[in-house]
């Protein structure tokens, strides 16, 4: 099992930036990919971005392309989500997740989750 802890959330004005971090521990060698998801109040959780630990291949939701960048530091077993040009609609709880190859092919298959960090974008 992989344990994940997010950090870096907070309150930011629209147009601003935040960088989220996700520290992984435990059986990280079993993890093929890391993903970021978000859930806004009253809405379902949605996929934001994912990255493979080995090659660094990435994928993004259309709503964040060009504004968010996912990255990872294998030496630190830590993933990041750099969020620029934030909009009010980016307000949500953000969760990182880890999983095997199946999760890379289908974001619904991520198996390990962090507790989340809150991001609030004000106008």
């Amino acid at each position: 099992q992989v344990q994940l802890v997010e950090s870096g959330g907070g309150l930011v004005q629209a147009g601003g930036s935040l960088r989220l971090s996700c520290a992984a521990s435990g059986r990280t060698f079993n993890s093929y990919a890391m993903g970021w998801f978000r859930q806004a109040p009253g809405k379902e959780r949605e996929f934001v971005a994912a990255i493979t630990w080995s090659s660094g291949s990435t994928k993004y939701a259309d709503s964040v392309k060009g504004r968010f960048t996912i990255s990872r530091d294998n030496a630190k077993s830590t993933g990041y989500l750099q969020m620029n040009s934030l909009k009010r609609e980016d307000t949500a709880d953000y969760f990182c997740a880890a999983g095997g190859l199946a999760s890379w092919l289908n974001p619904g298959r991520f198996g390990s989750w962090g507790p989340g960090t809150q991001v609030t974008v004000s106008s």
Side-chain angles (χ1 to χ4, degrees):
Q1 190 75 3
V2 178
Q3 290 79 45
L4 304 166
V5 178
E6 304 92 340
S7 61
L11 174 65
V12 63
Q13 286 192 329
S17 299
L18 279 177
R19 189 177 82 153
L20 305 183
S21 299
C22 175
S25 61
R27 299 173 69 86
T28 56
F29 54 87
N30 282 345
S31 176
Y32 181 85
M34 186 200 74
W36 286 96
F37 293 75
R38 66 186 182 187
Q39 186 167 19
K43 295 187 176 181
E44 293 187 353
R45 185 174 63 193
E46 64 174 355
F47 169 78
V48 175
I51 189 168
T52 60
W53 284 108
S54 58
S55 66
S57 297
T58 59
K59 55 176 71 173
Y60 295 91
D62 288 342
S63 59
V64 305
K65 278 181 182 177
R67 300 188 299 122
F68 290 12
T69 302
I70 190 171
S71 62
R72 88 278 189 245
D73 184 332
N74 289 354
K76 295 181 179 179
S77 295
T78 300
Y80 304 96
L81 185 68
Q82 177 67 43
M83 306 186 294
N84 298 330
S85 302
L86 282 161
K87 306 175 182 180
R88 286 193 64 186
E89 51 263 43
D90 294 318
T91 294
D93 291 326
Y94 283 71
F95 302 87
C96 69
L101 176 60
S103 62
W104 175 251
L105 299 175
N106 179 356
R109 299 288 298 274
F110 277 95
S112 299
W113 294 86
T117 185
Q118 188 174 55
V119 171
T120 303
V121 184
S122 65
S123 57

